[in-house]
Amino acid sequence: MFFLGCHLSSSGGYVAMGETALSIRASTFQYFTRNPRGGSARPLDLEDMAAFNEFARRHGIGTIVAHAPYTLNLCSNKPEVREFARMTMRDDLERLQHIDHVVYNFHPGSHVGQGADEGIAMIVDALNEVLTEEIKTPVLLETMAGKGSEIGRSFGELARIIDGVHLKEKMGVCMDSCHMNDAGYDVVNGLDGLIEAFDREVGLERVKAFHLNDSMNSFGSAKDRHAKIGEGEIGLEAIVRIINHPKLRHLPFNLETPNELDGYAREIQLLRSRRTGG
Ligand code: FE
Ligand code: FE
Ligand code: ZN
């Protein structure tokens, strides 16, 4: 199965997202758990969630990705910002208990002058407080571009976070092709080497989702600006190698390219036409 989708608006609820996904031939999707710049979540709609579980089963929708808001920063230097991030994460994970096949992805955070070591320690501390045995949703760290003081620009930083978490079995990673390119991982000419390095440093079995984005910026630029597939520095052929790679091809792939729905539909069609072996 090819699980390919894109980022969708969550304003109509889960079944509505599922229907939108099908309308553009997507077999998975991603959405923000709440306003990406923070704020409150939609009211909890258990009926919609149960209906979506059934809908996903019936239509073969693969594991979906719930993305935490960008403003969530577990390693801010302000205690109230850190506490808000923990509360948000706890609430998101509690809600996700009602969805059968979902992973929760978040940006590890940006330290605010206190340095990466202190930042990583704060993230670990927060995860150890928020994660409980009962939580069934895998929690993914996204590979980051390294813009500003972002944590997670290297596989080593992700490994250090996971190492510090007591309930490691709950932890995973979401790779982002734009971010890895911008962080200086060679997704264009060195995909096998990148996968080997990740496996050595983190363990490939931790990868649970993939963001497919081209990049407006060059290799190692530490910038993070997504481009449409084939219109950036990564290029279509490198993206095609990712979706067909024997060690990655089972993952849910989501586009986060600068597109409206019709643009996503075209990219999905393009990538479906380049997928080998079903
Ligand atoms: Fe992200
Ligand atoms: Fe991403
Ligand atoms: Zn990005």
Side-chain angles (χ1 to χ4, degrees), residues 147-184:
K147 195 165 107 186
S149 60
E150 268 173 358
I151 310 266
R153 69 186 68 205
S154 70
F155 299 159
E157 287 186 353
L158 299 178
R160 284 170 62 199
I161 295 170
I162 294 169
D163 270 351
V165 175
H166 303 315
L167 296 170
K168 285 181 187 48
E169 67 277 12
K170 313 254 179 219
M171 297 297 300
V173 171
C174 175
M175 286 184 165
D176 183 309
S177 53
C178 167
H179 296 176
M180 291 193 294
N181 172 78
D182 290 14

Side-chain angles (χ1 to χ4, degrees), residues 4-80:
L4 174 64
C6 64
H7 193 90
L8 296 178
S9 158
S10 66
S11 57
Y14 284 96
V15 172
M17 287 191 281
E19 279 164 351
T20 303
L22 293 187
S23 77
I24 55 171
R25 292 190 64 213
S27 47
T28 182
F29 59 86
Q30 172 177 278
Y31 67 98
F32 282 124
T33 54
R34 55 193 75 215
N35 185 310
R37 309 199 185 286
S40 57
R42 295 163 42 77
L44 189 65
D45 186 345
L46 293 177
E47 236 171 86
D48 177 49
M49 294 168 123
F52 172 73
N53 288 332
E54 177 55 31
F55 183 94
R57 223 175 351 261
R58 189 154 21 99
H59 295 285
I61 291 181
T63 298
I64 60 171
V65 179
H67 197 309
Y70 290 147
T71 43
L72 186 136
N73 190 3
L74 294 174
C75 60
S76 167
N77 59 346
K78 296 196 185 74
E80 65 275 18

Side-chain angles (χ1 to χ4, degrees), residues 70 107 142 144 176 178-179 213 224-226 256:
Y70 290 147
H107 296 180
E142 184 164 349
M144 300 310 293
D176 183 309
C178 167
H179 296 176
N213 301 305
D224 188 4
R225 280 163 70 228
H226 303 184
E256 301 175 306

Side-chain angles (χ1 to χ4, degrees), residues 97-254:
Q97 293 288 81
H98 302 286
I99 298 292
D100 288 342
H101 301 288
V102 61
V103 290
Y104 183 65
N105 175 57
F106 76 104
H107 296 180
S110 292
H111 69 81
V112 192
Q114 71 274 45
D117 289 350
E118 180 69 12
I120 287 169
M122 284 174 162
I123 296 165
V124 166
D125 193 56
L127 286 168
N128 280 332
E129 188 198 276
V130 170
L131 292 181
T132 62
E133 290 286 358
E134 291 70 46
I135 288 166
K136 61 177 190 178
T137 306
V139 174
L140 314 188
L141 306 164
E142 184 164 349
T143 61
M144 300 310 293
K147 195 165 107 186
S149 60
E150 268 173 358
I151 310 266
R153 69 186 68 205
S154 70
F155 299 159
E157 287 186 353
L158 299 178
R160 284 170 62 199
I161 295 170
I162 294 169
D163 270 351
V165 175
H166 303 315
L167 296 170
K168 285 181 187 48
E169 67 277 12
K170 313 254 179 219
M171 297 297 300
V173 171
C174 175
M175 286 184 165
D176 183 309
S177 53
C178 167
H179 296 176
M180 291 193 294
N181 172 78
D182 290 14
Y185 288 103
D186 195 353
V187 296
V188 180
N189 297 306
L191 185 60
D192 283 322
L194 180 156
I195 291 170
E196 269 168 46
F198 188 92
D199 194 34
R200 201 168 50 238
E201 293 183 55
V202 187
L204 199 59
E205 71 287 350
R206 295 272 181 206
V207 185
K208 304 289 184 204
F210 207 112
H211 288 162
L212 287 178
N213 301 305
D214 213 323
S215 173
M216 288 194 191
N217 293 103
S218 52
F219 180 68
S221 60
K223 282 272 176 46
D224 188 4
R225 280 163 70 228
H226 303 184
K228 294 182 184 179
I229 301 300
E231 295 184 13
E233 297 286 322
I234 296 174
L236 174 63
E237 294 312 314
I239 301 283
V240 167
R241 284 194 288 276
I242 292 171
I243 60 171
N244 290 318
H245 196 285
K247 293 190 167 161
L248 304 175
R249 56 182 290 121
H250 62 283
L251 295 169
F253 293 100
N254 279 294

